[in-house]
Amino acid sequence: LCARETMQSMRDSVHRTLSDAIDRMGMGAHYTVQQATITGKNGTEFIFAGLLHNVANIKSAEGIDVVWVEEAQTVSDDSWNTLIPTIRKDGSEIWVGFNPRLATDPTYKRFVVDPPASAIVRKVNPEDNPWFPEVLRIEMEEDKRRDYAKYLHIWMGECTTAIEGAVYGDEMAKALNEGRITR
């Protein structure tokens, strides 16, 4: 299951990401990419859903052994409380990808602040990505120079610490960037 909190159409899903990866890896002979699903010759099936309006349907699904929740920073407690106990097949896994917003967001609290004992949590930033393009590196460095709080949030995966434009938050970010204060 490939899910996100809201998905109005397949364009809102990771369907394209997966179909591009299948092509890039030369695995087209092993998968059939259809408009709403991707099926493998070995019996695997990728299905795509928004949690907010479909979580009850997902609750009745059988045999899901891997869930990839993308853009998970917007997933509500209600969605997590229904999804997690639904994925109950032995050896099943839930993969969660997100860029944090607020430290009080349900996903951040559930998987970063107080993760399950069995969770493997990794913070991945540009320096961890060997394919990070130069055009983005330049943009990142510009944000670092111009707006350090934005740089920390967008590029370094830090939670937003103040409402954008708040004088105190901007001054704190500037002091951090200049080394006048430390975390």
Side-chain angles (χ1 to χ4, degrees):
L1 171 65
C2 303
R4 59 192 323 144
E5 183 71 348
T6 59
M7 191 176 93
Q8 302 300 321
S9 71
M10 290 305 289
R11 286 180 164 265
D12 296 336
S13 75
V14 294
H15 184 279
R16 178 65 182 255
T17 301
L18 291 170
S19 61
D20 287 350
I22 289 166
D23 288 343
R24 190 174 50 254
M25 296 169 65
M27 298 185 73
H30 303 284
Y31 290 93
T32 301
V33 177
Q34 299 168 331
Q35 186 174 358
T37 62
I38 298 174
T39 55
K41 293 201 184 312
N42 63 356
T44 60
E45 180 180 18
F46 293 84
I47 57 175
F48 304 85
L51 298 173
L52 182 63
H53 300 295
N54 295 310
V55 78
N57 293 341
I58 293 166
K59 189 175 179 179
S60 64
E62 278 292 318
I64 295 174
D65 54 1
V66 177
V67 177
W68 173 17
V69 182
E70 187 54 58
E71 300 294 339
Q73 69 271 13
T74 62
V75 176
S76 67
D77 265 333
D78 286 343
S79 292
W80 286 124
N81 290 338
T82 302
L83 177 66
I84 290 172
T86 297
I87 310 307
R88 56 186 166 268
K89 187 175 175 183
D90 281 343
S92 61
E93 299 178 2
I94 299 175
W95 292 50
V96 180
F98 68 103
N99 295 317
R101 290 181 317 173
L102 300 173
T104 56
D105 286 340
T107 299
Y108 190 81
K109 288 184 349 187
R110 184 180 296 266
F111 295 106
V112 177
V113 174
D114 188 19
S118 61
I120 299 170
V121 179
R122 295 288 182 266
K123 183 177 184 179
V124 179
N125 282 330
E127 67 270 9
D128 304 309
N129 181 354
W131 300 280
F132 190 71
E134 186 61 23
V135 66
L136 288 182
R137 187 167 311 286
I138 291 167
E139 190 173 327
M140 178 182 74
E141 292 301 325
E142 283 296 313
D143 281 345
K144 184 177 182 179
R145 183 181 64 77
R146 280 191 218 144
D147 185 341
Y148 196 68
K150 179 181 177 183
Y151 160 78
L152 289 175
H153 176 63
I154 292 176
W155 303 102
M156 296 293 105
E158 298 290 328
C159 291
T160 299
T161 56
I163 297 171
E164 188 175 330
V167 174
Y168 179 75
D170 290 345
E171 289 303 314
M172 289 293 291
K174 185 176 178 184
L176 274 169
N177 189 31
E178 294 170 353
R180 292 185 281 132
I181 60 172
T182 59
R183 289 179 172 258

